[in-house]
């Protein structure tokens, strides 16, 4: 987890970053299994509240050449709302994850990796609470997949190239019975969840990173250059039933109608480029300087983000380390902004205290967005000190502003 990712390779973010790296396989077969005992509502009985088994096995397919890793994980969680009556007092979250990795050693200086992942999920009664019983909450179905192929090449001069191509899909369905309108009341809502959403998204991503051979010039310089291309596409259908807002005495205060089903679609192209120099001046001081360019096809803007950070060891040992940095960070415009104007409009009618006489409306509301979009943006700087209290204990003090 990178709390302050000042390296120019990190882009399209305004907060921290999570970087995941999976280990390559080996010639040794391995098998692990964990968490095969469920958690019950009562100590030894009652409904299952949590069950999260996981198995992983790996080993060689061709000795010293081709290796595999396969992992499966199932997650089930039940959340209860004590203020509601059984059996309508719980919501469930269920998912299954499959992860497959193949590592192939092409030659002495080349290797390739294939990743395939599937992660379906099914959630029932999402948002269940005291004021929203089960019928007023949606079911959420997700189906996701990821396919990626990467290759690393080491050249004779010590530099190397990292290439990565991936394709991912994500489908989401949010639905409810929709046989009755949703009614909002001061002491609790009733009826059925009002919306039906079905959306599919796809992403194609290509990334290249080149690590140059270090050069000596008033210290050691390690240069890194890279670029990235992204294509994103989403489409879906939005349907909604009326929402009735009632007063304490059940009389109608307001009615919201949605203008039928609406198909939405949007695509987006993005590209990025960056350059980074790690300058090791001596054993005490290291400076990282870089710049990044991100182009957002939805906002139709290009953002330049310079970054600078340092690491300083005032002592010859590792007892005290001072780190700091400053940089500009910009995030992508959400793809949903692109189809916001395509969403179904709504008609709002407001009633008098008798619940019959109309005092405003029907008033028609359309979805509109600004003609010019701007990407989320932040200027961040930070400084922190790590110092060893004992051999096994390290303390940290720091300040960050963004």
């Amino acid at each position: 987890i990178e709390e302050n990712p000042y390296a120019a390779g990190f882009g399209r973010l305004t907060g921290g970053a999570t970087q995941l790296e999976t280990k390559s396989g080996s010639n040794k077969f391995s098998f692990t299994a964990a968490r095969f005992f469920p958690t019950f509502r009562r100590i030894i009985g009652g409904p299952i509240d949590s069950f999260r088994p996981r198995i992983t096995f790996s080993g060689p397919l061709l000795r010293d050449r081709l290796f595999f890793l396969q992992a499966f994980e199932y997650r089930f969680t039940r959340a209860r709302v004590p203020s509601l009556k059984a059996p309508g007092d719980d919501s469930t979250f269920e998912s299954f994850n499959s992860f497959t990795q193949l590592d192939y050693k092409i030659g002495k200086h080349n290797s390739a990796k294939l990743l395939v992942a599937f992660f379906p999920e099914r959630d029932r009664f999402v948002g269940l609470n005291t004021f929203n019983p089960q019928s007023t909450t949606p079911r959420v179905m997700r189906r996701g997949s990821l396919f990626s192929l990467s290759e690393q090449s080491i050249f004779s001069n010590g530099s190397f190239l990292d290439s990565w191509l991936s394709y991912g899909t994500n489908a989401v369905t949010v639905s409810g019975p929709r046989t009755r309108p949703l009614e909002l009341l001061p002491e609790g809502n009733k009826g059925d969840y009002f919306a039906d959403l079905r959306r599919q998204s796809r992403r194609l991503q290509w990334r290249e990173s080149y690590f140059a051979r270090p050069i000596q010039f008033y210290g050691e310089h390690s240069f890194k250059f890279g670029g990235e291309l992204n294509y994103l596409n989403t489409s879906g259908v939005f349907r909604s039933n009326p929402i009735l807002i009632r007063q304490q005495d059940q009389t109608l205060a307001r009615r919201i109608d949605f203008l039928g089903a609406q198909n939405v679609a949007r695509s987006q192209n993005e590209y990025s480029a960056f350059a980074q120099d790690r300058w090791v001046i001596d054993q005490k001081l290291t400076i990282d300087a870089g710049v990044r360019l991100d182009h957002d096809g939805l906002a139709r803007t290009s953002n330049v983000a310079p970054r600078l950070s340092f690491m300083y060891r005032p002592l010859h040992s590792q007892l005290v380390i001072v780190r700091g940095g400053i940089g500009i960070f910009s995030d992508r415009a959400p793809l949903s902004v692109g189809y916001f104007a395509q969403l179904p409009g709504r008609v709002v009618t407001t009633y008098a205290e008798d619940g019959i006489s109309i005092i405003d409306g029907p008033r028609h509301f359309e979805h509109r967005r600004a003609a010019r979009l701007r990407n989320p943006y932040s200027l961040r700087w930070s400084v922190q000190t790590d110092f060893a209290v004992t051999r096994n204990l390290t303390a940290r003090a720091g300040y960050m502003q963004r």
Side-chain angles (χ1 to χ4, degrees):
I1 298 176
E2 298 283 347
E3 297 179 356
N4 301 300
Y6 291 109
F10 292 101
R12 304 193 185 280
L13 53 85
T14 54
T18 301
Q19 186 174 12
L20 300 177
E21 294 185 5
T22 56
K23 292 183 178 180
S24 299
S26 67
N27 287 318
K28 182 180 180 181
F29 284 99
S30 175
F31 175 81
T32 60
R35 301 194 300 251
F36 270 81
F37 296 98
T39 301
F40 297 94
R41 183 167 301 177
R42 293 182 289 274
I43 297 178
I44 57 174
I48 295 176
D49 280 346
S50 178
F51 185 43
R52 300 186 299 163
R54 181 180 64 190
I55 60 172
T56 303
F57 48 96
S58 61
L61 293 176
L62 294 174
R63 187 172 181 82
D64 297 326
R65 199 79 170 175
L66 181 62
F67 313 93
F68 79 94
L69 181 146
Q70 179 65 59
F72 297 107
E73 182 180 42
Y74 172 77
R75 287 175 173 262
F76 174 83
T77 303
R78 187 192 309 273
R80 293 184 62 243
V81 180
S83 57
L84 298 177
K85 294 182 180 180
D89 62 341
D90 62 5
S91 58
T92 59
F93 307 89
E94 189 176 14
S95 66
F96 175 79
N97 298 320
S98 171
F99 178 82
T100 304
Q101 175 177 309
L102 293 176
D103 294 280
Y104 181 56
K105 291 186 177 181
I106 303 171
K108 184 177 180 181
H109 301 292
N110 296 82
S111 62
K113 179 181 294 186
L114 173 67
L115 300 179
V116 179
F118 299 97
F119 34 95
E121 181 178 336
R122 179 176 62 185
D123 304 332
R124 297 171 63 246
F125 311 123
V126 177
L128 184 71
N129 57 44
T130 301
F131 300 100
N132 291 290
Q134 287 184 346
S135 64
T136 66
T137 58
R139 299 185 300 269
V140 179
M141 301 282 292
R142 296 183 177 91
R143 300 182 306 277
S145 63
L146 175 66
F147 307 87
S148 77
L149 179 64
S150 61
E151 191 261 345
Q152 296 79 37
S153 300
I154 302 176
F155 303 111
S156 58
N157 63 355
S159 63
F160 66 95
L161 179 68
D162 187 357
S163 304
W164 188 70
L165 180 67
S166 73
Y167 176 74
T169 65
N170 187 42
V172 179
T173 300
V174 181
S175 62
R178 298 178 66 239
T179 57
R180 301 173 296 168
L182 177 63
E183 299 184 47
L184 308 182
L185 295 98
E187 295 184 358
N189 305 325
K190 63 180 182 179
D192 294 335
Y193 184 72
F194 72 100
D196 185 279
L197 159 66
R198 302 171 190 274
R199 186 180 63 190
Q200 302 82 37
S201 301
R202 292 158 290 277
R203 175 193 290 270
L204 180 63
Q205 188 174 18
W206 177 31
R207 186 180 65 204
E208 297 284 343
S209 298
Y210 176 70
F211 299 79
R213 178 184 179 181
I215 61 174
Q216 302 296 323
F217 183 76
Y218 293 98
E220 182 180 87
H221 294 264
S222 299
F223 292 97
K224 179 181 178 182
F225 307 93
E228 184 177 307
L229 297 175
N230 287 280
Y231 172 76
L232 301 91
N233 174 270
T234 188
S235 61
V237 180
F238 290 77
R239 303 181 182 91
S240 298
N241 275 3
I243 299 176
L244 307 180
I245 302 176
R246 297 190 180 276
Q247 303 181 69
Q248 183 72 38
D249 60 1
Q250 303 289 313
T251 57
L252 187 60
R254 182 170 296 173
R255 178 186 176 100
I256 303 175
D257 292 280
F258 298 87
L259 301 179
Q262 185 68 46
N263 295 308
V264 301
R266 184 72 190 194
S267 60
Q268 178 179 355
N269 295 308
E270 302 173 340
Y271 64 79
S272 304
F274 70 88
Q276 179 86 25
D277 174 25
R278 167 160 289 191
W279 182 15
V280 181
I281 299 175
D282 53 33
Q283 294 182 351
K284 291 186 175 182
L285 180 61
T286 300
I287 296 176
D288 283 279
V291 63
R292 182 180 181 90
L293 171 68
D294 292 303
H295 177 79
D296 192 314
L298 182 59
R300 298 181 180 179
T301 58
S302 296
N303 302 293
V304 178
R307 316 270 178 84
L308 179 68
S309 63
F310 71 90
M311 181 177 66
Y312 177 62
R313 299 184 179 94
L315 306 177
H316 289 288
S317 64
Q318 300 285 341
L319 295 178
V320 179
I321 301 177
V322 182
R323 294 182 175 92
I326 186 170
I328 295 176
F329 298 83
S330 62
D331 207 343
R332 60 169 48 93
L335 197 56
S336 57
V337 175
Y339 63 75
F340 179 75
Q342 304 175 25
L343 295 174
R346 61 185 67 187
V347 177
V348 179
T349 306
T350 305
Y351 296 86
E353 292 186 1
D354 60 7
I356 300 175
S357 304
I358 297 177
I359 60 174
D360 185 67
R363 188 179 295 272
H364 183 203
F365 291 87
E366 296 180 348
H367 292 85
R368 297 182 181 181
R369 65 174 179 86
R372 182 182 179 185
L373 300 175
R374 292 188 299 176
N375 296 98
Y377 163 96
S378 72
L379 172 64
R380 176 193 309 171
W381 68 271
S382 65
V383 62
Q384 70 180 42
T385 301
D386 297 325
F387 51 94
V389 180
T390 66
R391 176 180 297 181
N392 300 317
L393 178 63
T394 301
R396 171 177 293 179
Y399 177 82
M400 179 179 67
Q401 179 173 312
R402 64 183 179 197

